[in-house]
Amino acid sequence: MKYLFLIISLLISVQLSAGYKIERIQTPKGVDAQIGGLAFMPDGRLAVSFNYGKIFTYKPDTKEWKLFAEGLHLPLGMLAINNHELMVMQRPELTRLIDSNKDGKADTYLKFNDDFGLSGNYHEFNFGPVQDSDGNFYIGLNVASNNGGILAEPRGKFLSYDIEKKDLEGDYDQKLVKKTVTRMYSCVP
């Protein structure tokens, strides 16, 4: 009986496969692998933004890269809207890239939002976007480094996205927290 249990356990473990497949992917020829964002398109292509301003798509079945967009300013996040559109968070704005003729390369770059401002400080990175069930996009805004220039209004207007101090979770020094704690993100309707 002990051996039967061992054989059945072995057969079951052989039948189960791993949840993820790890695969080494070479970057496009001549491209430095400083990746700012990843997004899978519905058709299975992987969209990859590189910090120096280009986005490529990768087809896993053919292992081929194709340039989707270029000329972006530090794209640090993106979201696939469909097989022909990406919403990209670049340093100065949230941009919608559209491949309207469906040739695999974006031919339309639309500024979706840039109301959060930009001082020029090197440390003002922007991340995201993510989208909620109502269609709103959320982006993460970094702050300028010490001794760097900042805008008079810090990175845009916040509209009712505050947390009352009493609602914060975890340990924190109550003296260091104002009555209302402003979150470090902006809602883009």
Side-chain angles (χ1 to χ4, degrees):
M1 187 64 154
K2 183 165 96 176
Y3 292 110
L4 180 61
F5 176 73
L6 181 62
I7 291 171
I8 291 172
S9 297
L10 231 132
L11 287 172
I12 289 173
S13 67
V14 169
Q15 293 290 329
L16 298 176
S17 61
Y20 298 93
K21 179 182 176 187
I22 298 173
E23 183 178 339
R24 184 175 180 87
I25 300 173
Q26 296 295 321
T27 56
K29 187 175 181 172
V31 174
D32 185 9
Q34 293 185 36
I35 296 171
L38 301 167
F40 278 100
M41 297 176 131
D43 63 8
R45 285 180 296 152
L46 174 64
V48 182
S49 66
F50 293 91
N51 291 358
Y52 64 90
K54 292 185 179 182
I55 296 176
F56 285 84
T57 56
Y58 177 78
K59 291 179 84 175
D61 55 340
T62 63
K63 301 188 181 331
E64 292 176 344
W65 288 98
K66 181 169 178 124
L67 180 65
F68 185 81
E70 58 188 328
L72 301 169
H73 187 176
L74 196 60
L76 292 178
M78 64 185 153
L79 179 69
I81 303 300
N82 56 47
N83 288 329
H84 309 288
E85 295 182 46
L86 292 171
M87 189 69 79
V88 179
M89 186 70 240
Q90 51 176 327
R91 192 166 182 174
E93 68 183 33
L94 182 59
T95 309
R96 190 173 201 135
L97 303 175
I98 304 169
D99 172 17
S100 57
N101 62 6
K102 299 178 177 43
D103 67 352
K105 188 169 183 178
D107 43 49
T108 304
Y109 293 54
L110 297 174
K111 175 183 74 175
F112 189 79
N113 187 285
D114 68 352
D115 291 342
F116 46 84
L118 181 65
S119 74
N121 183 280
Y122 84 97
H123 203 263
E124 287 185 350
F125 304 110
N126 303 323
F127 304 96
V130 294
Q131 190 174 25
D132 67 17
S133 59
D134 293 329
N136 296 304
F137 292 94
Y138 293 85
I139 56 176
L141 302 174
N142 217 16
V143 295
S145 63
N146 293 341
N147 300 321
I150 57 171
L151 296 171
E153 184 178 305
R155 305 298 309 272
K157 184 177 179 183
F158 292 102
L159 303 171
S160 70
Y161 293 102
D162 295 333
I163 303 174
E164 292 296 318
K165 182 165 61 172
K166 64 182 177 49
D167 296 328
L168 286 173
E169 295 180 8
D171 294 331
Y172 59 93
D173 185 346
Q174 294 244 351
K175 293 178 210 162
L176 298 177
V177 181
K178 299 180 292 183
K179 181 179 183 240
T180 303
V181 181
T182 305
R183 293 184 181 185
M184 291 306 301
Y185 66 81
S186 176
C187 175
V188 182

